[in-house]
Amino acid sequence: NHLMVLGLLVFEATVHRHQLYYRLHNALKAPPFSIIFHGITRQHLDHGILPCIKYFINFFFYKFGLEVSLIVAVNVIGQRMDFYAVLHSCALMAVLSRRRRKAIGEVWPKYCCFTAGLMVLQYVLCIGIPPAFCYPWRTAAQPLTSNVIKWFYLPDFAMSPNPSFIFDHLLLLCSSFQWQVFEEENRAAVRLLAGDNVEISRSLDPCSFNKFMPVDNFLHCCYLDMVKVFVFSYFFWLVLCLIFITGTTRISIFCLGYLVSCFYFMLFGGSMLMQPVKYILRLWDWLIGYTCFVITMKNLLS
């Protein structure tokens, strides 16, 4: 594994030096963004399937890096299921409580520092103390049980903590990249190349969205328009199917909330999407908040 990592580092350094030499030799400027397909900008996104794929290969993390980071955070919580997973759950709720992207970007550096600090602390706990000493949770009058020690991720000579930090490293990597994205999206050159990440106004009426669309209506016969029709017409029902599956997979009091929310959304159906944006986002905020609450409670009750 170490040789593989070393080989990847050597390969990355070789490619970087080769690109730097090529640009200096041909008097080329480095692109403002690390991209694969040059010449593909936001204006090419709606020109067809192939330009769309190239655009998302270049700027997928720029557009959806925040969502990817949150998914990785939930994955870390599900993989750990211990005291530090509870801390990650609290941090996740603190970030999501900001709601707006700009507000999340203001607290994101603190979240990255929190993630890095937890990794350093866990590494220190895995190292432990010299064997000549004893841990107080083992030598006390009422010592802690092995399950409690494992849940709190405490060092122990009888059962050492699991030193696997793969998902924690992945979370720190994604959150660090997203921190860079929050800084890059404020640059005019990057916004011109990749588009902006500005949210729409919450006071808009869905019936008037066509007045603010930067592209033509996608009711033509190209394959990209067919993909758009599928995403914007049926993705809402796909999400409801996932909520229903989540509520019926297990029988618990927490699953009841998913079933109630699913049936509530299905009661209004597609007409709910024609409500004011502020009302729609408020419902989804409640669902996301309930999901974070369930994740935290499952960690506490595990």
Side-chain angles (χ1 to χ4, degrees):
N1 292 335
H2 294 166
L3 291 177
M4 185 181 299
V5 173
L6 182 60
L8 291 175
L9 291 176
V10 171
F11 178 76
E12 191 274 337
T14 304
V15 172
H16 176 73
R17 292 296 179 182
H18 176 74
Q19 291 178 341
L20 181 61
Y21 171 77
Y22 181 81
R23 293 192 182 103
L24 292 177
H25 183 71
N26 296 277
L28 299 176
K29 293 183 179 180
F33 220 69
S34 298
I35 57 178
I36 297 177
F37 298 102
H38 296 276
I40 299 296
T41 63
R42 176 62 181 84
Q43 286 72 25
H44 300 85
L45 176 60
D46 301 287
H47 291 178
I49 288 288
L50 186 59
C52 180
I53 294 176
K54 290 182 178 179
Y55 173 82
F56 280 115
I57 291 177
N58 285 343
F59 305 108
F60 178 82
F61 203 87
Y62 175 81
K63 286 294 184 181
F64 301 104
L66 179 60
E67 290 78 7
V68 172
S69 300
L70 297 179
I71 291 174
V72 174
V74 174
N75 190 23
V76 170
I77 296 171
Q79 293 292 332
R80 296 193 61 93
M81 296 296 289
D82 56 7
F83 175 71
Y84 292 95
V86 177
L87 296 181
H88 279 292
S89 302
C90 296
L92 182 63
M93 289 190 292
V95 170
L96 291 177
S97 64
R98 311 290 292 187
R99 300 182 65 186
R100 289 184 175 273
R101 182 182 181 90
K102 185 177 181 180
I104 293 177
E106 293 175 355
V107 301
W108 196 258
K110 299 179 182 178
Y111 179 74
C112 292
C113 295
F114 167 80
T115 306
L118 277 188
M119 284 196 58
V120 173
L121 177 60
Q122 294 173 70
Y123 182 78
V124 172
L125 292 178
C126 287
I127 295 177
I129 61 176
F133 300 93
C134 296
Y135 294 110
W137 41 86
R138 282 296 189 183
T139 58
Q142 294 182 351
L144 299 178
T145 61
S146 298
N147 290 332
V148 175
I149 294 175
K150 181 180 179 181
W151 191 80
F152 278 103
Y153 204 76
L154 296 174
D156 188 30
F157 294 127
M159 183 178 59
S160 301
N162 185 13
S164 179
F165 301 135
I166 297 178
F167 296 101
D168 299 79
H169 279 95
L170 186 60
L171 174 60
L172 181 59
L173 179 65
C174 292
S175 58
S176 300
F177 283 154
Q178 184 57 36
W179 187 358
Q180 183 180 0
V181 168
F182 280 130
E183 295 179 350
E184 293 286 344
E185 67 185 13
N186 293 324
R187 296 171 53 192
V190 176
R191 291 200 303 268
L192 184 63
L193 184 64
D196 57 55
N197 287 332
V198 179
E199 297 177 344
I200 62 174
S201 175
R202 294 174 180 254
S203 59
L204 287 179
D205 186 5
C207 298
S208 62
F209 276 175
N210 56 345
K211 300 179 182 179
F212 305 96
M213 282 188 177
V215 296
D216 296 331
N217 202 344
F218 46 88
L219 294 179
H220 304 285
C221 298
C222 67
Y223 291 108
L224 181 60
D225 292 337
M226 296 173 61
V227 174
K228 290 181 180 180
V229 169
F230 173 78
V231 171
F232 293 110
S233 299
Y234 302 106
F235 204 74
F236 171 73
W237 300 103
L238 178 62
V239 173
L240 292 186
C241 291
L242 295 177
I243 297 174
F244 181 79
I245 293 174
T246 304
T248 55
T249 302
R250 298 179 180 179
I251 301 177
S252 66
I253 190 63
F254 298 120
C255 295
L256 180 62
Y258 292 117
L259 292 177
V260 171
S261 61
C262 178
F263 291 137
Y264 182 82
F265 286 121
M266 292 180 64
L267 178 64
F268 297 97
S271 62
M272 191 195 71
L273 300 179
M274 303 306 297
Q275 299 295 324
V277 177
K278 188 175 182 179
Y279 173 76
I280 299 174
L281 293 181
R282 186 186 299 117
L283 294 179
W284 287 108
D285 286 340
W286 279 105
L287 178 60
I288 294 173
Y290 177 75
T291 304
C292 294
F293 170 76
V294 171
I295 292 174
T296 306
M297 292 305 299
K298 285 187 175 182
N299 276 282
L300 289 174
L301 298 175
S302 63

